[in-house]
Amino acid sequence: MSSINQSMIEGFRLKGISDVPDLQVLIFLLVLLTYLISLIGNLTIVLLVCLDLHLHTPMYFFLANLSVIDILSSTTTLNMIFVIFSTHNHTVSTVTCMTQLYIFCTATGNESAILAAIGFDRYVAICRPLHYHTVMSRRLCGLLASVIWVSGFIEMVPIIVLISRFTCYISKEIDHYFCDMLPIRDITCSDTSLLDLYILIYGNVILFMLLFLTIASYIFIITSILRISSSTGRRKAFYTCSSHIMVVSIFYSSLVLLRSNCICK
Ligand SMILES: *[C@@H]1O[C@H](CO)[C@@H](O)[C@H](O)[C@H]1NC(C)=O
């Protein structure tokens, strides 16, 4: 295999997006439609939470945070599909690529942290209802959200620094539709041991810890719901939580699918 020694300035080619014209139109329309629906939905959530005083509770604030994250990550990951469709140029500059990578990784990390925060909020609301207002104070929520956002943006800096220092590439083609960490790692012939260590620590330890905390909250919630004696009360509590549990499952299963798809290639 010949390797391309290149400075990082030249950029990459995204080959995860079809070149077949008919298929491209179909993909473009589907992606555009999905993107617009999600954008409108998320903007509506953020606006409603900001404007409606009834929704000024920790859970809705965190939900609005999730919407902001969703807007960030869908906009960064999908923008190249729109650019490629309109310009037919699959090349993405290194700066765009690194920005995409940075925002997407930060958004994914923040999303799991916010999901854990929502899990904790529901745990306190359902299992410690009398202490809810003292525990989930405005101050604690503000603090949690700031820690999540600030640490999210800091945690990903090492990844960007390590990847920008790669100088050797087997190919310039990224087998994906946006610049993600593992597809880039796949095509480099530079030493990836530091990056791998960081991914292992960050990706596995921290994300698994957040997943564990989230699952633990829902286990506590479900056991306390099962102890509710009236069946209407139980149904009501289950009804409130099932949507959360669904969101958590969809998020983590798509994360695992996305990652394992990259790893197993
Ligand atoms: C995110 O959550 C924090 C803490 O609850 C809240 O203060 C902030 O307004 C939220 N951000 C958005 C965009 O809703």
Side-chain angles (χ1 to χ4, degrees), residues 46 49-50 57-66 68 114 137-138 140-146 149:
V46 174
V49 172
C50 289
T57 65
M59 188 183 86
Y60 287 105
F61 276 134
F62 286 134
L63 279 181
N65 277 232
L66 272 190
V68 173
I114 295 276
S137 62
R138 191 170 281 252
L140 179 77
C141 295
L143 187 72
L144 267 179
S146 338
W149 280 92

Side-chain angles (χ1 to χ4, degrees), residues 110-183:
N110 286 2
E111 187 156 353
S112 40
I114 295 276
L115 286 176
I118 293 179
F120 178 69
D121 171 72
R122 291 299 85 198
Y123 160 75
V124 180
I126 291 172
C127 304
R128 302 272 179 275
L130 298 179
H131 301 125
Y132 184 71
H133 289 287
T134 38
V135 176
M136 294 307 284
S137 62
R138 191 170 281 252
R139 222 166 114 218
L140 179 77
C141 295
L143 187 72
L144 267 179
S146 338
V147 168
I148 291 172
W149 280 92
V150 173
S151 65
F153 277 107
I154 295 174
E155 277 157 6
M156 294 305 160
V157 171
I159 292 193
I160 296 300
V161 171
L162 290 171
I163 291 185
S164 352
R165 286 174 55 206
F166 289 169
T167 46
C168 168
Y169 283 94
I170 302 165
S171 144
K172 286 173 65 181
E173 299 202 317
I174 296 178
D175 196 5
H176 206 24
Y177 60 91
F178 68 96
C179 292
D180 197 2
M181 190 166 56
L182 296 176

